[in-house]
Amino acid sequence: MEVSEIGLESKSQAFLNVDQAFILSPENRPNTKHSDFTRDRIPLIDLSILNSTTPPHPTSLASLVTQIHAACRDWGFFQVINHGVSLHLLHTLQSETARFFSLPMQEKTKVRRDFDHPLGYYDTELTKNIRDWKEVFDFACRGIIRLPSNLEIDSNETQTLTNQWPENPPRLREACEKYAEAVEKLSFILLELISLSLGLPAEYFNSKFEDHTSFLRLNHYPPCPVPELALGVGQHKDAGALTVLVQDEVGGLQVRRKDGEWIGVKPVPDSFVINVGDCIQVWSNDKYESVEHRVVVNDKKERFSIPFFLNPSHYAMVRPALELVNEENPIKYKEYNWGKFLKSRYESNFKHLGIENLQIHHFSISPNSS
């Protein structure tokens, strides 16, 4: 038998051994290598001027804001270095994350999340009704998250989601909580820079986050025998305001450029990958776009990443900032309640809905509507 035939036979067997819930439709399958960083790179921005004990010089701050504006306008993504988050905290959490996912399944499922308690361990998450090739551990930034208890428009009832912490590894909880505090601080700095880049006061959006629903996720992507047929995370846009992601050296995150090409985000040691989410797109009235991204996997290496999702308070109403609306740029979205939006998105993670989950385009105002 020829070598090529051996490889084909091996691939065919691998396909048969994989749960069909992971297999993407042909038009959504990745067609680039997981390490393809040869095309354009997303902007890399140095935040060192913010780490001084004295306020940054106005000229330096203006230059930084200009860079943020260009990155959000042109890409919706950028990377930051010299961000002020302790590297010790970061590396400690990365180590504890690897320890947790190396535990036997019976240990991890002691803190398994479910439809009623969507914080904790999970390995059957869906993105657009296709199963992701990953396992995750989610926890609330501040220990709890308050959400609407149902999707009824007139209901004000809420439910409280509480973190589940595993007994092993014993230092995971402390590492998570300390890191969450540090990255939360960074996320609000970035939110204020983005506000300035839109021509708004730095604190413009802060009131929408007084009881924010932010959470962190520990991601583990095992090697996949059919990486050309499955994705670690299917193509999607983030629903919240900002995502602050640390990825390891393996790589796998891809961003969809405005021309439709998928671009690999090259790992930069000790950096964060930042992307604006749907809330920023709506608040900015489409000046900034929440961009599609996905995670490809490979058949040789496992990958770890840790995203922080900065989300508004459950009672926050999301609509374009009136300061950014005028006759030439009319309002483009109807107002919606963030908590009910997030609640509906959580539900789609746990069951195949048979339809597209809730997106901001469902609140889009047609140019021809009255």
Side-chain angles (χ1 to χ4, degrees):
M1 183 181 291
E2 296 287 340
V3 173
S4 59
E5 292 177 331
I6 296 174
L8 181 61
E9 181 178 294
S10 176
K11 283 291 183 182
S12 298
Q13 187 60 48
F15 176 84
L16 293 174
N17 291 337
V18 170
D19 187 331
Q20 295 302 294
F22 291 106
I23 305 302
L24 296 156
S25 57
E27 67 273 15
N28 290 322
R29 292 172 186 172
N31 55 11
T32 57
K33 296 180 180 179
H34 81 280
S35 58
D36 182 10
F37 307 123
T38 59
R39 298 294 302 274
D40 296 346
R41 296 183 182 181
I42 67 172
L44 181 65
I45 299 176
D46 190 338
L47 300 181
S48 57
I49 66 166
L50 304 178
N51 298 328
S52 173
T53 55
T54 58
H57 189 278
T59 302
S60 298
L61 180 59
S63 175
L64 176 58
V65 169
T66 298
Q67 292 179 65
I68 296 285
H69 171 70
C72 292
R73 178 196 63 205
D74 299 339
W75 284 91
F77 269 80
F78 54 97
Q79 293 189 81
V80 295
I81 55 174
N82 299 318
H83 40 69
V85 174
S86 163
L87 298 183
H88 173 71
L89 290 179
L90 175 57
H91 297 160
T92 298
L93 181 55
Q94 288 175 315
S95 296
E96 294 302 313
T97 296
R99 290 189 179 96
F100 173 74
F101 287 119
S102 69
L103 293 173
M105 183 60 72
Q106 64 185 27
E107 280 292 309
K108 291 182 285 192
T109 53
K110 289 179 180 178
V111 290
R112 186 175 182 83
R113 72 186 217 198
D114 56 33
F115 187 82
D116 295 316
H117 304 93
L119 294 173
Y121 173 80
Y122 202 58
D123 64 346
T124 55
E125 187 164 88
L126 304 174
T127 298
K128 296 187 177 180
N129 297 319
I130 299 297
R131 186 173 170 185
D132 295 331
W133 191 273
K134 68 179 181 185
E135 54 180 343
V136 307
F137 177 81
D138 289 347
F139 64 98
C141 174
R142 294 183 172 177
I144 62 170
I145 290 176
R146 289 190 176 86
L147 285 182
S149 56
N150 60 68
L151 298 178
E152 298 297 324
I153 295 176
D154 297 328
S155 174
N156 293 318
E157 295 181 7
T158 62
Q159 66 179 131
T160 300
L161 312 182
T162 306
N163 286 339
Q164 300 186 81
W165 294 110
E167 294 181 2
N168 293 305
R171 290 184 292 275
L172 177 66
R173 177 175 182 173
E174 181 183 11
C176 287
E177 291 177 337
K178 288 184 175 180
Y179 176 80
E181 183 178 354
V183 78
E184 177 188 12
K185 180 179 178 181
L186 171 63
S187 70
F188 277 105
I189 291 172
L190 292 166
L191 183 67
E192 293 188 356
L193 289 170
I194 289 172
S195 183
L196 288 171
S197 77
L198 288 167
L200 301 170
E203 301 82 10
Y204 186 88
F205 297 115
N206 289 4
S207 64
K208 300 181 182 297
F209 294 85
E210 291 174 352
D211 300 299
H212 62 81
T213 55
S214 307
F215 71 99
L216 291 94
R217 166 168 290 179
L218 312 181
N219 281 321
H220 176 226
Y221 304 95
C224 177
V226 286
E228 68 279 8
L229 301 179
L231 285 168
V233 182
Q235 61 190 68
H236 68 286
K237 300 182 178 185
D238 290 347
L242 283 178
T243 303
V244 182
L245 168 80
V246 59
Q247 61 171 341
D248 65 14
E249 72 285 353
V250 174
L253 175 64
Q254 293 184 336
V255 175
R256 192 170 197 169
R257 294 194 321 181
K258 294 186 177 181
D259 64 4
E261 290 289 328
W262 287 99
I263 304 300
V265 179
K266 184 175 182 178
V268 175
D270 301 326
S271 70
F272 288 111
V273 180
I274 315 299
N275 64 282
V276 300
D278 289 345
C279 289
I280 294 289
Q281 178 167 336
V282 173
W283 287 331
S284 73
N285 205 37
D286 283 352
K287 285 184 179 291
Y288 297 158
E289 182 183 350
S290 175
V291 175
E292 275 193 319
H293 50 288
R294 67 187 184 186
V295 175
V296 295
V297 288
N298 66 86
D299 56 2
K300 296 178 177 61
K301 295 181 179 180
E302 63 181 344
R303 175 180 181 263
F304 298 93
S305 70
I306 306 169
F308 171 89
F309 300 98
L310 179 67
N311 294 333
S313 308
H314 73 85
Y315 47 79
M317 302 303 293
V318 182
R319 67 174 184 179
L322 295 181
E323 291 84 347
L324 303 178
V325 174
N326 53 44
E327 195 170 316
E328 292 75 32
N329 188 35
I331 193 166
K332 297 180 179 178
Y333 295 93
K334 293 178 287 187
E335 184 177 68
Y336 63 91
N337 173 264
W338 165 252
K340 293 187 186 297
F341 187 94
L342 181 59
K343 171 80 170 176
S344 70
R345 293 288 287 258
Y346 267 142
E347 291 186 1
S348 70
N349 287 339
F350 292 92
K351 57 184 179 182
H352 192 303
L353 300 178
I355 58 173
E356 179 187 27
N357 60 6
L358 193 61
Q359 306 286 342
I360 58 171
H361 69 71
H362 293 123
F363 301 93
S364 178
I365 297 175
S366 168
N368 298 321
S369 63
S370 57

